[in-house]
Amino acid sequence: MKVGAVIITMGNRPDELRALLDSVAKQDGDQVQAVVVGNGSPVPDVPEGVRTVELPENLGIPGGRNVGIEAFGPSGRDVDILLFLDDDGLLAQHDTAELCRQAFEADPKLGIISFRIADPDTGETQRRHVPRLRASDPMRSSRVTTFLGGANAVRTQVLADVGGLPDEFFYAHEETDLAWRALDAGWMIDYRSDMVLYHPTTAPSRHAVYHRMVARNRVWLARRNLPALLVPVYLGVWMLLTLLRRPSRPALKAWFGGFREGWSTPCGPRKPMKWRTVWRLTRLGRPPVI
């Protein structure tokens, strides 16, 4: 199976980007083709053979990654598997691409693999980086219902079947939107603890737009994908969880502003998932109300 890699960058981490590309080049088996997308910025110097695309404006994470997908042909059809990697990450082992090939070849219904993210200094995996509710043991691989945006592998047939990431989301929850559409089309998602991306420990709230985008896109996610009966339940649960976390007053103000924006602005096409998909999500341990 042919493997490609999509990396988006703002051009502000040239050393980390070079180290990541070196780790991609060292993967076992056939060469992994890499495309680096400059998301509204020039692309720093990259090794020979790495393709680059420079966008005149920042299209956000999903928009930038979609451009990277299309660099491999419509829906990435020139390759069988696409790796999506954060530009400040680093593939920890040389066999990750080969493990992806083996996993996809062994399971024809496997559509997406979520890698384990570990801090390069401590080896710690943050709880939020284990894409399931029972996240206390990051070393346990399992079927899951979503995946990590900057550390994953996607079978390109999934993108051909259900489309790419939602451009309008810009940042936050775009992975879950794609995951739900893939699951609704019959694909499965695995979390694999043996496929590791080193990435420095960070807090998502470091982004200035975090609280607004998280709330707005949560509403969009529900409006686009959930049966009508579940939309108020899902959003009500998340509002309660947000209040229980006791964010600061400015953060809460931004969150409620984003929540209102999610209801008052277009969210893209609506295609509610089938009830059998709701049941599948429930059996996998994460019903689409939380």
Side-chain angles (χ1 to χ4, degrees), residues 1 81 95-113 115 143 153 155 190 192 194-195:
M1 301 183 79
I81 303 165
D95 62 352
T96 302
E98 189 60 30
L99 288 173
C100 287
R101 292 186 187 98
Q102 293 171 9
F104 285 120
E105 286 172 349
D107 185 352
K109 296 309 295 180
L110 178 60
I112 302 172
I113 300 172
F115 301 164
R143 293 281 200 204
R155 191 192 295 265
D190 279 355
R192 288 282 298 265
D194 58 333
M195 302 182 189

Side-chain angles (χ1 to χ4, degrees), residues 29-288:
D30 293 341
Q31 181 183 10
V32 177
Q33 305 169 47
V35 169
V36 178
V37 178
N39 214 354
S41 67
V43 175
D45 289 339
V46 296
E48 185 177 352
V50 174
R51 288 184 287 164
T52 63
V53 180
E54 294 187 353
L55 302 177
E57 61 178 309
N58 184 353
L59 299 182
I61 293 173
R65 286 183 177 143
N66 283 337
V67 169
I69 291 168
E70 296 303 306
F72 289 97
S75 301
R77 69 184 181 190
D78 294 344
V79 293
D80 304 293
I81 303 165
L82 279 176
L83 311 180
F84 294 90
L85 307 169
D86 277 350
D87 68 340
D88 56 345
L90 184 75
L91 289 173
Q93 288 104 17
H94 294 175
D95 62 352
T96 302
E98 189 60 30
L99 288 173
C100 287
R101 292 186 187 98
Q102 293 171 9
F104 285 120
E105 286 172 349
D107 185 352
K109 296 309 295 180
L110 178 60
I112 302 172
I113 300 172
S114 189
F115 301 164
R116 180 168 63 89
I117 292 179
D119 185 274
D121 297 321
T122 66
E124 176 190 1
T125 296
Q126 292 178 272
R127 189 180 183 90
R128 69 185 182 89
H129 283 154
V130 182
R132 57 175 180 249
L133 291 180
R134 294 186 290 276
S136 59
D137 182 7
M139 301 306 295
R140 179 172 66 87
S141 299
S142 68
R143 293 281 200 204
V144 290
T145 61
T146 188
F147 63 98
L148 307 175
N152 67 80
V154 178
R155 191 192 295 265
T156 53
Q157 186 58 49
V158 173
L159 304 171
D161 286 353
V162 306
L165 296 156
D167 287 341
E168 53 269 67
F169 278 41
F170 197 85
Y171 164 77
H173 301 320
E174 66 272 5
E175 304 92 350
T176 300
D177 186 89
L178 176 57
W180 282 0
R181 286 183 282 125
L183 288 163
D184 198 48
W187 296 101
M188 301 301 292
I189 306 170
D190 279 355
Y191 166 72
R192 288 282 298 265
S193 64
D194 58 333
M195 302 182 189
V196 181
L197 184 85
Y198 284 147
H199 189 281
T201 298
T202 57
S205 54
R206 70 190 185 280
H207 298 293
V209 297
Y210 171 76
H211 296 287
R212 180 176 70 86
M213 292 288 195
V214 161
R216 183 198 68 180
N217 292 0
R218 184 81 69 185
V219 177
W220 282 358
L221 181 67
R223 288 175 58 195
R224 286 164 58 95
N225 294 289
L226 290 182
L229 287 174
L230 294 184
V231 171
V233 180
Y234 177 80
L235 296 177
V237 167
W238 277 105
M239 181 179 290
L240 177 61
L241 288 173
T242 299
L243 294 173
L244 289 174
R245 289 168 178 166
R246 302 177 67 181
S248 67
R249 186 179 295 273
L252 195 60
K253 182 179 179 181
W255 193 93
F256 275 107
F259 192 83
R260 288 191 296 271
E261 185 181 350
W263 285 108
S264 61
T265 54
C267 63
R270 171 169 166 77
K271 186 181 178 183
M273 65 177 64
K274 308 173 189 72
W275 282 103
R276 68 184 181 193
T277 305
V278 173
W279 176 237
R280 176 190 288 184
L281 289 162
T282 303
R283 286 191 292 111
L284 288 170
R286 191 153 196 166

